Amino acid sequence: MDFGALPVIPANTPATMTQPTFTCTNGVAYTITDDDGANELAANANRMLNGAANYIAYSFNYTAGGAGTGAAQTMDISGTVTAAAYTGAVAGAYTDTVTLTINP
């Protein structure tokens, strides 16, 4: 996900990204889980880090399961940084790493 340069006048900013694809066996149920990212504050509290202690919170959503089709399926991932999350934040590049795991 890439939030790009956040607007100078605060506004909710959706992420842009290329949706990943995956393949599961036809008819086999799967679940997708995540690790909340490297900078999580608490469960489902995703944050991007800049430096040692500068954070910006963001939402991270995806489809958590389904049934395999035997063909490549596109994962539906989205994210948003709210205006309130970055108002007053220190300028700079903020990053996070979230690992998704797909299990049959």
Side-chain angles (χ1 to χ4, degrees):
M1 294 190 317
D2 183 358
F3 295 103
L6 296 173
V8 174
I9 298 173
N12 293 352
T13 306
T16 58
M17 68 175 299
T18 300
Q19 298 293 337
T21 60
F22 62 96
T23 303
C24 289
T25 303
N26 189 23
V28 174
Y30 64 86
T31 58
I32 303 173
T33 57
D34 70 87
D35 66 356
D36 284 328
N39 305 299
E40 72 175 316
L41 178 60
N44 299 314
N46 300 89
R47 303 184 303 172
M48 297 178 284
L49 174 65
N50 170 20
N54 302 309
Y55 296 95
I56 294 177
Y58 67 96
S59 69
F60 176 68
N61 303 296
Y62 58 91
T63 304
T69 64
Q73 295 176 251
T74 301
M75 183 179 284
D76 184 20
I77 300 175
S78 64
T80 301
V81 171
T82 64
Y86 73 91
T87 300
V90 174
Y94 288 75
T95 62
D96 192 21
T97 300
V98 177
T99 301
L100 296 170
T101 303
I102 302 172
N103 287 306

Coordinates of all heavy atoms in Angstrom, one line a residue:
M1 N 0.8 -1.2 0.0 CA 0.0 0.0 0.0 C 0.9 1.2 0.0 O 1.9 1.2 0.6 CB -0.9 0.0 1.2 CG -1.9 -1.1 1.3 SD -3.2 -0.9 2.6 CE -2.3 -0.4 4.0
D2 N 0.4 2.2 -0.7 CA 1.2 3.5 -0.7 C 0.2 4.6 -0.5 O -0.8 4.8 -1.2 CB 1.8 3.6 -2.1 CG 2.7 4.9 -2.2 OD1 2.8 5.7 -1.3 OD2 3.3 5.0 -3.3
F3 N 0.4 5.4 0.5 CA -0.4 6.5 0.8 C 0.1 7.8 0.1 O -0.6 8.8 0.2 CB -0.5 6.8 2.3 CG -1.2 5.6 3.0 CD1 -0.5 4.7 3.8 CD2 -2.6 5.5 2.9 CE1 -1.2 3.6 4.4 CE2 -3.3 4.4 3.6 CZ -2.5 3.5 4.3
G4 N 1.3 7.7 -0.5 CA 1.8 8.9 -1.2 C 2.1 10.0 -0.2 O 2.2 9.8 1.0
A5 N 2.3 11.2 -0.7 CA 2.4 12.4 0.1 C 1.1 12.8 0.6 O 0.1 13.0 -0.2 CB 3.1 13.5 -0.7
L6 N 1.0 12.8 1.9 CA -0.3 13.2 2.5 C -0.6 14.7 2.3 O 0.3 15.5 2.3 CB -0.3 12.9 4.0 CG -0.2 11.4 4.3 CD1 0.0 11.2 5.8 CD2 -1.4 10.6 3.8
P7 N -1.9 15.0 2.0 CA -2.2 16.4 1.7 C -1.9 17.4 2.8 O -1.9 17.1 4.0 CB -3.8 16.4 1.5 CG -4.1 14.9 1.4 CD -3.0 14.2 2.1
V8 N -1.5 18.6 2.4 CA -1.1 19.7 3.3 C -2.4 20.1 4.1 O -2.3 20.3 5.3 CB -0.5 20.9 2.6 CG1 -0.3 22.0 3.6 CG2 0.8 20.5 1.9
I9 N -3.5 20.2 3.4 CA -4.8 20.4 4.1 C -5.3 19.0 4.5 O -5.6 18.3 3.6 CB -5.8 21.2 3.2 CG1 -5.2 22.6 2.9 CG2 -7.1 21.3 3.9 CD1 -6.0 23.3 1.9
P10 N -5.3 18.7 5.8 CA -5.7 17.3 6.2 C -7.0 16.8 5.5 O -8.0 17.5 5.5 CB -5.8 17.4 7.7 CG -4.9 18.6 8.0 CD -5.1 19.6 6.9
A11 N -6.9 15.6 5.0 CA -8.0 14.9 4.4 C -7.8 13.4 4.6 O -6.6 13.0 4.6 CB -8.2 15.3 3.0
N12 N -8.9 12.7 4.7 CA -8.7 11.2 4.7 C -8.1 10.8 3.4 O -8.5 11.2 2.3 CB -10.0 10.5 4.9 CG -10.6 10.8 6.3 OD1 -10.0 11.3 7.2 ND2 -11.9 10.4 6.5
T13 N -7.1 9.9 3.4 CA -6.3 9.6 2.3 C -6.3 8.1 2.1 O -5.7 7.3 2.9 CB -4.8 10.1 2.4 OG1 -4.9 11.5 2.6 CG2 -4.1 9.8 1.1
P14 N -6.9 7.6 1.0 CA -6.9 6.1 0.8 C -5.6 5.7 0.2 O -4.9 6.5 -0.5 CB -8.1 5.9 -0.2 CG -8.2 7.2 -0.9 CD -7.8 8.3 0.1
A15 N -5.2 4.4 0.4 CA -4.0 3.9 -0.2 C -4.2 3.5 -1.6 O -5.3 3.2 -2.1 CB -3.6 2.6 0.6
T16 N -3.1 3.6 -2.4 CA -3.2 3.0 -3.8 C -2.3 1.8 -3.8 O -1.3 1.7 -3.0 CB -2.7 4.0 -4.8 OG1 -1.3 4.4 -4.5 CG2 -3.5 5.3 -4.9
M17 N -2.6 0.8 -4.5 CA -1.8 -0.4 -4.6 C -2.3 -1.3 -5.7 O -3.4 -1.2 -6.2 CB -1.9 -1.2 -3.3 CG -3.3 -1.8 -3.0 SD -3.3 -2.8 -1.5 CE -2.1 -4.0 -1.9
T18 N -1.4 -2.2 -6.1 CA -1.7 -3.3 -7.0 C -2.1 -4.5 -6.1 O -1.4 -4.9 -5.2 CB -0.4 -3.7 -7.8 OG1 0.0 -2.5 -8.5 CG2 -0.8 -4.8 -8.8
Q19 N -3.3 -4.9 -6.4 CA -3.9 -6.0 -5.6 C -3.1 -7.3 -5.9 O -2.9 -7.7 -7.1 CB -5.4 -6.2 -5.9 CG -6.2 -5.0 -5.5 CD -6.3 -4.7 -4.1 OE1 -6.1 -5.6 -3.2 NE2 -6.6 -3.5 -3.7
P20 N -2.6 -8.0 -4.9 CA -1.9 -9.3 -5.1 C -2.9 -10.4 -5.5 O -4.1 -10.3 -5.2 CB -1.3 -9.6 -3.7 CG -2.2 -8.9 -2.8 CD -2.7 -7.7 -3.5
T21 N -2.3 -11.4 -6.1 CA -3.1 -12.6 -6.5 C -2.6 -13.8 -5.8 O -1.4 -13.9 -5.4 CB -3.1 -12.8 -8.0 OG1 -1.8 -13.0 -8.5 CG2 -3.8 -11.7 -8.7
F22 N -3.4 -14.8 -5.6 CA -3.0 -16.1 -5.0 C -3.8 -17.2 -5.6 O -4.9 -17.0 -6.2 CB -3.1 -16.1 -3.5 CG -4.5 -15.9 -3.0 CD1 -5.3 -17.0 -2.7 CD2 -5.1 -14.6 -3.0 CE1 -6.6 -16.8 -2.3 CE2 -6.4 -14.4 -2.5 CZ -7.2 -15.5 -2.2
T23 N -3.4 -18.4 -5.5 CA -4.1 -19.6 -6.0 C -4.3 -20.6 -4.9 O -3.3 -21.0 -4.3 CB -3.4 -20.2 -7.2 OG1 -3.2 -19.2 -8.2 CG2 -4.1 -21.4 -7.8
C24 N -5.5 -21.1 -4.7 CA -5.8 -22.2 -3.8 C -6.5 -23.3 -4.5 O -7.2 -23.0 -5.5 CB -6.6 -21.7 -2.6 SG -5.8 -20.6 -1.5
T25 N -6.4 -24.5 -4.0 CA -7.1 -25.7 -4.6 C -8.6 -25.4 -4.7 O -9.2 -24.9 -3.8 CB -6.8 -26.9 -3.8 OG1 -5.4 -27.1 -3.7 CG2 -7.4 -28.2 -4.4
N26 N -9.2 -25.8 -5.9 CA -10.6 -25.6 -6.1 C -11.4 -26.3 -5.0 O -11.2 -27.5 -4.7 CB -10.9 -26.3 -7.5 CG -12.3 -25.9 -7.9 OD1 -12.9 -24.9 -7.5 ND2 -12.9 -26.7 -8.8
G27 N -12.3 -25.5 -4.5 CA -13.3 -26.0 -3.5 C -12.7 -26.1 -2.0 O -13.5 -26.4 -1.1
V28 N -11.4 -25.8 -1.8 CA -10.8 -25.9 -0.5 C -11.0 -24.5 0.2 O -10.6 -23.5 -0.4 CB -9.4 -26.3 -0.6 CG1 -8.7 -26.2 0.8 CG2 -9.3 -27.7 -1.2
A29 N -11.5 -24.5 1.4 CA -11.7 -23.2 2.1 C -10.3 -22.7 2.6 O -9.4 -23.5 2.9 CB -12.6 -23.5 3.3
Y30 N -10.1 -21.4 2.6 CA -8.9 -20.8 3.1 C -9.2 -19.7 4.0 O -10.3 -19.1 3.9 CB -8.0 -20.4 1.9 CG -8.6 -19.3 1.1 CD1 -8.5 -17.9 1.5 CD2 -9.4 -19.5 0.0 CE1 -9.1 -16.9 0.7 CE2 -10.0 -18.5 -0.8 CZ -9.8 -17.2 -0.4 OH -10.4 -16.2 -1.1
T31 N -8.3 -19.3 4.8 CA -8.4 -18.1 5.7 C -7.1 -17.3 5.5 O -6.0 -17.9 5.2 CB -8.5 -18.5 7.2 OG1 -7.4 -19.3 7.6 CG2 -9.8 -19.2 7.5
I32 N -7.3 -16.0 5.6 CA -6.1 -15.1 5.5 C -6.0 -14.3 6.9 O -7.0 -13.8 7.4 CB -6.3 -14.1 4.4 CG1 -6.5 -14.9 3.1 CG2 -5.1 -13.1 4.3 CD1 -6.8 -14.0 1.9
T33 N -4.8 -14.3 7.4 CA -4.6 -13.6 8.7 C -3.4 -12.7 8.5 O -2.7 -12.8 7.6 CB -4.3 -14.6 9.9 OG1 -3.2 -15.4 9.5 CG2 -5.5 -15.5 10.2
D34 N -3.3 -11.7 9.4 CA -2.2 -10.8 9.3 C -1.6 -10.6 10.7 O -2.2 -11.0 11.7 CB -2.6 -9.4 8.8 CG -3.5 -8.6 9.7 OD1 -2.9 -7.9 10.6 OD2 -4.7 -8.7 9.7
D35 N -0.4 -10.1 10.7 CA 0.4 -9.9 12.0 C 0.2 -8.5 12.6 O 1.0 -8.1 13.5 CB 1.8 -10.3 11.8 CG 2.6 -9.3 10.9 OD1 2.0 -8.4 10.3 OD2 3.8 -9.5 10.8
D36 N -0.7 -7.7 12.1 CA -0.9 -6.3 12.5 C 0.2 -5.3 12.3 O 0.2 -4.2 12.7 CB -1.3 -6.2 14.0 CG -2.7 -6.6 14.3 OD1 -3.6 -6.4 13.4 OD2 -3.0 -7.2 15.3
G37 N 1.3 -5.8 11.6 CA 2.4 -5.0 11.2 C 3.5 -4.9 12.3 O 3.3 -5.3 13.4
A38 N 4.6 -4.4 11.8 CA 5.8 -4.3 12.7 C 5.7 -3.2 13.8 O 6.4 -3.3 14.8 CB 7.0 -4.0 11.8
N39 N 4.7 -2.3 13.6 CA 4.6 -1.2 14.6 C 3.3 -1.1 15.3 O 2.9 0.0 15.7 CB 4.9 0.2 13.8 CG 6.2 0.1 13.1 OD1 7.2 0.0 13.7 ND2 6.1 0.2 11.7
E40 N 2.6 -2.2 15.4 CA 1.3 -2.2 16.0 C 1.3 -1.7 17.4 O 2.3 -1.9 18.2 CB 0.6 -3.6 16.0 CG 1.3 -4.6 16.9 CD 0.6 -5.9 17.0 OE1 -0.6 -5.9 17.0 OE2 1.3 -6.9 17.0
L41 N 0.3 -1.0 17.8 CA 0.1 -0.5 19.2 C -0.6 -1.5 20.0 O -0.3 -1.8 21.2 CB -0.6 0.8 19.2 CG -0.9 1.5 20.5 CD1 0.4 1.8 21.3 CD2 -1.7 2.7 20.4
A42 N -1.6 -2.1 19.4 CA -2.5 -3.2 20.0 C -3.1 -3.9 18.9 O -2.9 -3.5 17.7 CB -3.5 -2.5 20.9
A43 N -3.9 -4.9 19.2 CA -4.5 -5.7 18.1 C -5.3 -4.7 17.2 O -6.1 -3.9 17.7 CB -5.4 -6.8 18.7
N44 N -5.2 -4.8 15.9 CA -5.9 -4.0 14.9 C -5.6 -2.5 15.0 O -6.4 -1.7 14.7 CB -7.4 -4.3 15.0 CG -7.7 -5.7 14.6 OD1 -7.2 -6.3 13.7 ND2 -8.5 -6.3 15.5
A45 N -4.4 -2.2 15.5 CA -4.0 -0.8 15.7 C -2.7 -0.6 14.8 O -1.6 -0.5 15.4 CB -3.8 -0.4 17.1
N46 N -2.9 -0.6 13.5 CA -1.7 -0.4 12.6 C -1.2 1.0 12.7 O -1.9 1.9 12.7 CB -2.2 -0.8 11.2 CG -2.7 -2.1 11.1 OD1 -3.9 -2.3 11.2 ND2 -1.9 -3.1 10.8
R47 N 0.2 1.0 12.7 CA 0.9 2.3 12.6 C 2.1 2.2 11.7 O 2.8 1.2 11.7 CB 1.4 2.7 14.0 CG 0.3 2.7 15.1 CD 0.8 3.2 16.4 NE 1.9 2.4 16.9 CZ 2.7 2.7 18.0 NH1 2.4 3.8 18.7 NH2 3.6 1.9 18.4
M48 N 2.4 3.3 11.1 CA 3.6 3.5 10.3 C 4.6 4.3 11.2 O 4.2 5.1 11.9 CB 3.3 4.3 9.0 CG 2.4 3.6 8.1 SD 2.1 4.5 6.6 CE 0.9 5.7 7.2
L49 N 5.9 4.0 11.0 CA 6.9 4.6 11.8 C 7.9 5.4 11.0 O 8.2 5.0 9.9 CB 7.7 3.4 12.5 CG 9.0 3.9 13.3 CD1 8.6 4.7 14.5 CD2 9.7 2.6 13.7
N50 N 8.3 6.6 11.6 CA 9.3 7.4 11.0 C 10.3 7.7 12.1 O 9.9 8.4 13.1 CB 8.7 8.7 10.5 CG 9.7 9.8 10.1 OD1 10.9 9.4 9.8 ND2 9.3 11.0 10.0
G51 N 11.5 7.2 12.0 CA 12.5 7.4 13.0 C 12.2 6.5 14.2 O 11.7 5.4 14.1
A52 N 12.5 7.0 15.4 CA 12.5 6.2 16.6 C 11.1 6.2 17.3 O 10.7 5.2 17.9 CB 13.5 6.6 17.6
A53 N 10.3 7.3 17.2 CA 9.1 7.3 17.9 C 8.0 8.2 17.3 O 7.2 8.7 18.0 CB 9.4 7.8 19.3
N54 N 8.0 8.3 16.0 CA 7.0 9.1 15.3 C 6.1 8.2 14.5 O 6.6 7.4 13.7 CB 7.7 10.1 14.3 CG 8.6 11.1 15.0 OD1 8.2 11.7 16.0 ND2 9.8 11.2 14.6
Y55 N 4.8 8.2 14.8 CA 3.9 7.3 14.2 C 2.7 8.0 13.6 O 2.3 9.0 14.0 CB 3.3 6.3 15.3 CG 4.3 5.5 16.0 CD1 4.9 5.8 17.2 CD2 4.7 4.2 15.4 CE1 5.9 5.0 17.8 CE2 5.6 3.4 16.0 CZ 6.2 3.8 17.2 OH 7.1 3.0 17.8
I56 N 2.2 7.3 12.5 CA 0.9 7.7 11.9 C 0.0 6.4 11.9 O 0.5 5.4 11.3 CB 1.1 8.3 10.6 CG1 1.8 9.6 10.6 CG2 -0.3 8.5 9.9 CD1 2.1 10.3 9.3
A57 N -1.2 6.5 12.4 CA -2.1 5.3 12.4 C -2.7 5.2 11.0 O -2.9 6.2 10.4 CB -3.1 5.5 13.5
Y58 N -3.0 4.0 10.7 CA -3.8 3.7 9.4 C -4.7 2.5 9.5 O -4.4 1.7 10.4 CB -2.8 3.6 8.2 CG -2.0 2.3 8.3 CD1 -2.4 1.1 7.6 CD2 -0.8 2.2 9.0 CE1 -1.6 0.0 7.7 CE2 0.0 1.1 9.1 CZ -0.4 0.0 8.4 OH 0.3 -1.2 8.5
S59 N -5.7 2.5 8.7 CA -6.6 1.3 8.7 C -6.1 0.4 7.6 O -5.5 0.8 6.6 CB -8.0 1.7 8.4 OG -8.1 2.1 7.1
F60 N -6.3 -0.9 7.8 CA -5.9 -2.0 6.9 C -7.0 -3.0 6.9 O -7.3 -3.6 7.9 CB -4.6 -2.6 7.4 CG -4.0 -3.7 6.6 CD1 -3.5 -3.5 5.3 CD2 -4.0 -5.0 7.2 CE1 -3.0 -4.5 4.6 CE2 -3.5 -6.0 6.4 CZ -3.0 -5.8 5.1
N61 N -7.6 -3.2 5.7 CA -8.7 -4.1 5.5 C -8.5 -5.1 4.4 O -7.9 -4.7 3.4 CB -10.0 -3.4 5.3 CG -10.2 -2.4 6.4 OD1 -10.4 -2.7 7.5 ND2 -10.2 -1.1 6.1
Y62 N -8.9 -6.3 4.5 CA -8.8 -7.3 3.4 C -9.9 -8.4 3.6 O -10.5 -8.5 4.7 CB -7.5 -7.9 3.4 CG -7.0 -8.6 4.7 CD1 -7.3 -9.9 4.9 CD2 -6.4 -7.9 5.7 CE1 -6.9 -10.6 6.1 CE2 -6.1 -8.5 6.9 CZ -6.3 -9.8 7.1 OH -6.0 -10.5 8.2
T63 N -10.2 -9.1 2.6 CA -11.1 -10.2 2.7 C -10.4 -11.4 3.4 O -9.3 -11.8 2.9 CB -11.6 -10.6 1.2 OG1 -12.1 -9.5 0.6 CG2 -12.6 -11.8 1.3
A64 N -11.0 -11.9 4.5 CA -10.2 -12.8 5.3 C -10.4 -14.3 5.0 O -9.9 -15.1 5.7 CB -10.6 -12.6 6.8
G65 N -11.1 -14.6 3.9 CA -11.3 -16.0 3.6 C -12.2 -16.2 2.5 O -12.8 -15.3 1.9
G66 N -12.4 -17.5 2.1 CA -13.3 -17.9 1.1 C -13.0 -19.3 0.7 O -12.4 -20.1 1.4
A67 N -13.3 -19.6 -0.6 CA -13.0 -21.0 -1.1 C -12.1 -20.8 -2.4 O -12.3 -19.9 -3.2 CB -14.3 -21.7 -1.5
G68 N -11.2 -21.7 -2.5 CA -10.3 -21.7 -3.6 C -11.0 -22.1 -4.9 O -12.1 -22.7 -4.9
T69 N -10.5 -21.6 -6.0 CA -11.1 -21.8 -7.3 C -10.2 -22.7 -8.2 O -10.6 -23.1 -9.3 CB -11.5 -20.5 -8.0 OG1 -10.3 -19.8 -8.3 CG2 -12.4 -19.7 -7.2
G70 N -9.0 -22.8 -7.8 CA -8.0 -23.5 -8.7 C -7.4 -22.6 -9.7 O -6.4 -22.9 -10.3
A71 N -7.8 -21.3 -9.7 CA -7.3 -20.3 -10.6 C -6.8 -19.1 -9.8 O -7.2 -19.0 -8.6 CB -8.3 -19.8 -11.6
A72 N -6.0 -18.3 -10.3 CA -5.5 -17.1 -9.6 C -6.7 -16.3 -9.2 O -7.7 -16.0 -9.9 CB -4.6 -16.3 -10.5
Q73 N -6.7 -15.9 -7.9 CA -7.8 -15.0 -7.3 C -7.1 -13.7 -6.9 O -6.0 -13.7 -6.4 CB -8.4 -15.7 -6.1 CG -9.2 -16.9 -6.5 CD -9.7 -17.6 -5.2 OE1 -9.3 -18.7 -4.9 NE2 -10.7 -17.0 -4.6
T74 N -7.8 -12.6 -7.0 CA -7.3 -11.3 -6.6 C -7.7 -11.0 -5.2 O -8.9 -11.2 -4.8 CB -7.8 -10.2 -7.5 OG1 -7.4 -10.5 -8.9 CG2 -7.3 -8.8 -7.1
M75 N -6.7 -10.7 -4.3 CA -7.0 -10.3 -3.0 C -7.5 -8.9 -2.9 O -7.0 -8.0 -3.6 CB -5.8 -10.5 -2.1 CG -6.0 -10.2 -0.7 SD -4.5 -10.4 0.3 CE -4.4 -12.2 0.3
D76 N -8.5 -8.6 -2.1 CA -9.1 -7.2 -2.0 C -8.5 -6.6 -0.8 O -8.9 -6.9 0.3 CB -10.6 -7.3 -2.0 CG -11.2 -5.9 -2.0 OD1 -10.6 -5.0 -2.4 OD2 -12.4 -5.8 -1.6
I77 N -7.5 -5.7 -0.9 CA -6.9 -5.0 0.2 C -7.1 -3.5 0.1 O -7.0 -3.0 -1.0 CB -5.4 -5.3 0.3 CG1 -5.1 -6.8 0.4 CG2 -4.7 -4.5 1.4 CD1 -3.6 -7.1 0.3
S78 N -7.4 -2.9 1.2 CA -7.6 -1.4 1.2 C -7.0 -0.8 2.5 O -6.8 -1.5 3.5 CB -9.0 -1.0 1.0 OG -9.8 -1.5 2.1
G79 N -6.7 0.4 2.5 CA -6.3 1.1 3.7 C -6.5 2.6 3.6 O -6.6 3.2 2.5
T80 N -6.6 3.3 4.7 CA -6.8 4.7 4.8 C -6.0 5.3 5.9 O -5.9 4.7 7.0 CB -8.3 5.0 5.0 OG1 -9.0 4.5 3.9 CG2 -8.6 6.5 5.0
V81 N -5.5 6.5 5.7 CA -5.0 7.3 6.8 C -6.0 8.5 7.0 O -6.3 9.2 6.0 CB -3.6 7.9 6.4 CG1 -3.2 9.0 7.5 CG2 -2.5 6.9 6.3
T82 N -6.5 8.6 8.2 CA -7.5 9.7 8.4 C -6.7 11.0 8.6 O -5.6 11.0 9.0 CB -8.3 9.4 9.6 OG1 -7.5 9.4 10.8 CG2 -9.1 8.1 9.5
A83 N -7.4 12.1 8.4 CA -6.8 13.4 8.6 C -6.4 13.6 10.0 O -5.3 14.1 10.2 CB -7.9 14.5 8.2
A84 N -7.2 13.1 10.9 CA -6.8 13.3 12.4 C -5.5 12.5 12.7 O -4.8 12.9 13.6 CB -8.0 12.8 13.2
A85 N -5.3 11.4 12.0 CA -4.1 10.6 12.3 C -2.8 11.2 12.0 O -1.8 10.9 12.6 CB -4.2 9.2 11.5
Y86 N -2.8 12.1 11.0 CA -1.5 12.8 10.7 C -1.4 14.3 10.9 O -0.3 14.9 10.7 CB -1.1 12.4 9.2 CG -1.8 13.1 8.1 CD1 -1.4 14.3 7.6 CD2 -3.0 12.6 7.6 CE1 -2.1 15.0 6.6 CE2 -3.7 13.2 6.6 CZ -3.2 14.4 6.1 OH -3.9 15.0 5.1
T87 N -2.5 14.9 11.4 CA -2.4 16.3 11.7 C -1.4 16.5 12.8 O -1.5 15.8 13.9 CB -3.8 16.8 12.1 OG1 -4.7 16.6 11.1 CG2 -3.8 18.3 12.5
G88 N -0.4 17.3 12.6 CA 0.6 17.5 13.6 C 1.8 16.5 13.6 O 2.7 16.6 14.4
A89 N 1.7 15.6 12.7 CA 2.8 14.6 12.7 C 4.1 15.2 12.1 O 4.1 16.1 11.4 CB 2.4 13.4 11.8
V90 N 5.2 14.7 12.6 CA 6.5 15.1 12.1 C 6.6 14.7 10.6 O 6.3 13.6 10.2 CB 7.7 14.4 12.9 CG1 9.0 14.7 12.3 CG2 7.6 14.8 14.4
A91 N 7.1 15.6 9.8 CA 7.3 15.4 8.3 C 8.3 14.3 8.1 O 9.3 14.2 8.9 CB 7.7 16.7 7.6
G92 N 8.1 13.5 7.1 CA 9.1 12.5 6.7 C 8.4 11.3 6.1 O 7.2 11.3 5.9
A93 N 9.2 10.2 5.9 CA 8.7 9.0 5.3 C 8.4 8.0 6.4 O 9.2 7.7 7.3 CB 9.8 8.4 4.4
Y94 N 7.2 7.5 6.4 CA 6.7 6.6 7.3 C 6.4 5.2 6.7 O 5.9 5.2 5.6 CB 5.3 7.1 7.9 CG 5.5 8.2 8.9 CD1 5.7 9.5 8.4 CD2 5.4 8.1 10.2 CE1 5.8 10.6 9.2 CE2 5.5 9.2 11.1 CZ 5.7 10.4 10.6 OH 5.8 11.5 11.4
T95 N 6.8 4.1 7.3 CA 6.7 2.8 6.7 C 6.2 1.8 7.8 O 6.3 2.0 9.0 CB 8.0 2.3 6.2 OG1 9.0 2.2 7.2 CG2 8.6 3.2 5.1
D96 N 5.7 0.7 7.3 CA 5.3 -0.4 8.1 C 5.4 -1.7 7.2 O 5.3 -1.6 6.0 CB 3.9 -0.3 8.7 CG 3.6 -1.3 9.8 OD1 4.5 -1.8 10.4 OD2 2.4 -1.5 10.0
T97 N 5.5 -2.8 7.8 CA 5.5 -4.1 7.1 C 4.5 -5.0 7.7 O 4.5 -5.2 8.9 CB 6.9 -4.8 7.2 OG1 7.9 -3.9 6.6 CG2 6.8 -6.1 6.4
V98 N 3.5 -5.4 6.9 CA 2.5 -6.3 7.4 C 2.6 -7.6 6.6 O 2.7 -7.6 5.4 CB 1.0 -5.7 7.1 CG1 0.0 -6.7 7.6 CG2 0.9 -4.4 7.9
T99 N 2.6 -8.7 7.3 CA 2.7 -10.1 6.7 C 1.4 -10.7 6.7 O 0.7 -10.8 7.8 CB 3.7 -10.9 7.5 OG1 5.0 -10.3 7.5 CG2 3.9 -12.3 6.8
L100 N 0.9 -11.2 5.6 CA -0.3 -11.9 5.4 C 0.0 -13.4 5.3 O 0.9 -13.7 4.6 CB -1.1 -11.4 4.2 CG -1.6 -10.0 4.3 CD1 -2.1 -9.5 2.9 CD2 -2.6 -9.8 5.3
T101 N -0.8 -14.2 5.9 CA -0.6 -15.7 5.8 C -1.9 -16.3 5.3 O -3.0 -16.0 5.8 CB -0.3 -16.3 7.2 OG1 0.9 -15.6 7.7 CG2 0.0 -17.8 7.1
I102 N -1.8 -17.1 4.3 CA -3.0 -17.8 3.7 C -2.9 -19.3 4.1 O -1.9 -19.9 3.8 CB -3.1 -17.7 2.2 CG1 -3.1 -16.2 1.8 CG2 -4.3 -18.4 1.6 CD1 -3.0 -15.9 0.3
N103 N -3.9 -19.8 4.8 CA -3.9 -21.2 5.2 C -5.2 -21.9 4.7 O -6.3 -21.4 4.7 CB -4.0 -21.3 6.7 CG -2.6 -20.9 7.3 OD1 -1.6 -21.5 7.0 ND2 -2.7 -19.9 8.2
P104 N -5.0 -23.1 4.2 CA -6.1 -23.9 3.8 C -6.8 -24.5 5.0 O -6.3 -24.6 6.0 CB -5.5 -25.1 2.9 CG -4.1 -25.1 3.3 CD -3.7 -23.8 3.9

